[in-house]
Amino acid sequence: MGRFVIEDTPIHGVKVITRMKVSDDRGFLSRLYCQEELSQLGWQGSLAQMNETMTNNRCTVRGLHFQREPSAEMKLISCIEGQIYDVAVDLRTNSPTYLKYFSSVLSAENNKAMLIPKGCAHGFQTLSDNVRMIYCHSTAYNPDVEDGVHILDKEIGIEWPFSPINLSERDSGFPHIGYNFEGMSG
């Protein structure tokens, strides 16, 4: 892997990727996405969608989002301005880490990204004001199969760095995991 340094995490398929910078006196180049290199990590198909988000206020939480089949997706999350506490939650019922989460700080300074496989939910909390992020998706957004889990679900037990603020109406309405939670195949 020429442009990326890959770190495994306790959750199968979740990777922390440090994007290597090629620098000179003018500045730097850093590859955000490379299909050839990411396919070795399980990325299937092409890049279906790329989105940019801006979150204005520190402590804001977005998530925990995922898409069910037939539009389950891999995501590559990069923070290009500011700093976030990024979270992946394993929702794959056949996984030994089912309902466990992994978190990592992503920032413009550390040049890290998180690769999140199908079957995992994603969310984050901003650690600074004015956070900009780039999301690469393996599958296009499909509102018919979008889903989520509540950020304060006790079964998952995410330890957010700050008391969450600015939760959207949609995110605050996501269910807590209960007896009828279907999970995902993996």
Side-chain angles (χ1 to χ4, degrees):
M1 302 253 167
R3 296 290 178 106
F4 302 133
V5 174
I6 309 301
E7 297 172 54
D8 290 324
T9 72
I11 297 177
H12 178 72
V14 175
K15 309 284 184 190
V16 174
I17 299 172
T18 302
R19 298 182 312 274
M20 304 307 293
K21 291 182 178 180
V22 177
S23 303
D24 62 22
D25 59 344
R26 301 168 296 174
F28 72 89
L29 174 126
S30 175
R31 184 164 292 157
L32 290 172
Y33 174 87
C34 177
Q35 184 173 352
E36 180 181 340
E37 291 187 53
L38 292 176
S39 68
Q40 297 173 38
L41 301 176
W43 191 279
Q44 298 172 351
S46 62
L47 176 62
Q49 198 167 318
M50 188 181 318
N51 298 302
E52 177 183 16
T53 64
M54 172 69 175
T55 306
N56 297 322
N57 301 110
R58 180 176 176 260
C59 304
T60 298
V61 173
R62 292 184 189 233
L64 298 160
H65 305 141
F66 64 99
Q67 290 192 161
R68 294 192 177 276
E69 293 294 353
S71 298
E73 63 183 342
M74 290 189 80
K75 296 180 184 177
L76 179 64
I77 310 297
S78 297
C79 181
I80 59 170
E81 183 177 334
Q83 185 176 52
I84 65 167
Y85 179 79
D86 206 40
V87 176
V89 178
D90 192 347
L91 300 177
R92 299 167 292 191
T93 55
N94 61 344
S95 171
T97 55
Y98 177 61
L99 299 184
K100 303 289 187 224
Y101 75 93
F102 174 80
S103 62
S104 182
V105 173
L106 309 181
S107 70
E109 289 74 33
N110 71 16
N111 223 33
K112 292 186 183 291
M114 194 179 310
L115 181 68
I116 301 172
K118 293 177 181 182
C120 289
H122 172 254
F124 67 90
Q125 183 170 47
T126 55
L127 301 177
S128 63
D129 291 332
N130 304 316
V131 169
R132 289 179 56 218
M133 296 169 57
I134 301 287
Y135 289 69
C136 296
H137 302 263
S138 65
T139 305
Y141 172 71
N142 181 347
D144 294 335
V145 294
E146 75 171 336
D147 208 345
V149 176
H150 200 280
I151 64 161
L152 298 178
D153 189 285
K154 289 181 176 26
E155 289 290 321
I156 300 168
I158 297 172
E159 295 181 23
W160 298 102
F162 303 104
S163 193
I165 65 167
N166 294 334
L167 200 60
S168 73
E169 186 175 323
R170 179 183 82 156
D171 291 356
S172 64
F174 283 139
H176 291 260
I177 292 173
Y179 293 110
N180 62 347
F181 182 70
E182 294 176 19
M184 301 274 293
S185 61

